[in-house]
Amino acid sequence: MQIYVNVLQTYMSALGMGDFATIKALFTPDARVNSPFLGEMPAEDFFEKLADFTSESIITPIDIFLSTTDRHQATAYFRYDWTLKDGTQISFKVMDLFSFAANDDRVTRLDLIYDTHPIRSSVGNKFQ
């Protein structure tokens, strides 16, 4: 399970640095991301869109949770201070639920969990 902690720490660090190549390498080729804004899509497509929208990200880790019921899941909980390329600033807490491949440490699915209401009021539907 420590390997999952390392993966989540790498993810949060890379997200903060805007290192989307490192993030993509953490995922299997067929990995999926489920986003409250964009719905479900291939991880590759999701992170390309995120890179296109992002000017700067500041990630403040809060905690990492290891599942007690599914040994192939872990959750990163962090504060995301996000600046869009148009200058819009958004700050919110998010829980990212990672599901891992049974035979390696790469991510097969990522579910983003956060309240979209305050974000939609400031950015509308820019992500569609």
Side-chain angles (χ1 to χ4, degrees):
M1 296 298 269
Q2 180 61 40
I3 190 70
Y4 296 163
V5 172
N6 294 343
V7 170
L8 271 58
Q9 289 172 331
T10 299
Y11 171 82
M12 288 187 284
S13 176
L15 186 59
M17 293 185 293
D19 183 355
F20 292 100
T22 294
I23 291 171
K24 290 177 191 178
L26 298 173
F27 289 77
T28 61
D30 61 343
R32 309 282 296 172
V33 173
N34 186 20
S35 161
F37 271 104
L38 299 174
E40 186 171 320
M41 66 178 57
E44 178 88 13
D45 295 348
F46 174 80
F47 290 110
E48 285 177 11
K49 283 184 178 275
L50 186 60
D52 288 344
F53 290 123
T54 301
S55 172
E56 179 182 26
S57 297
I58 299 171
I59 304 302
T60 306
I62 298 171
D63 209 343
I64 290 175
F65 303 95
L66 300 174
S67 177
T68 60
T69 58
D70 183 337
R71 63 186 188 103
H72 299 295
Q73 287 188 338
T75 302
Y77 180 37
F78 56 94
R79 179 182 182 90
Y80 193 178
D81 294 297
W82 185 27
T83 304
L84 304 181
K85 285 191 176 168
D86 71 0
T88 303
Q89 295 182 331
I90 307 165
S91 183
F92 59 100
K93 289 181 182 175
V94 60
M95 295 188 80
D96 285 1
L97 173 61
F98 293 78
S99 297
F100 292 88
N103 55 351
D104 69 26
D105 62 349
R106 291 185 299 160
V107 179
T108 59
R109 181 173 181 85
L110 173 59
D111 290 289
L112 309 177
I113 305 165
Y114 58 90
D115 181 4
T116 62
H117 179 41
I119 299 167
R120 284 189 193 277
S121 67
S122 63
V123 300
N125 288 320
K126 291 181 184 180
F127 307 113
Q128 300 302 324

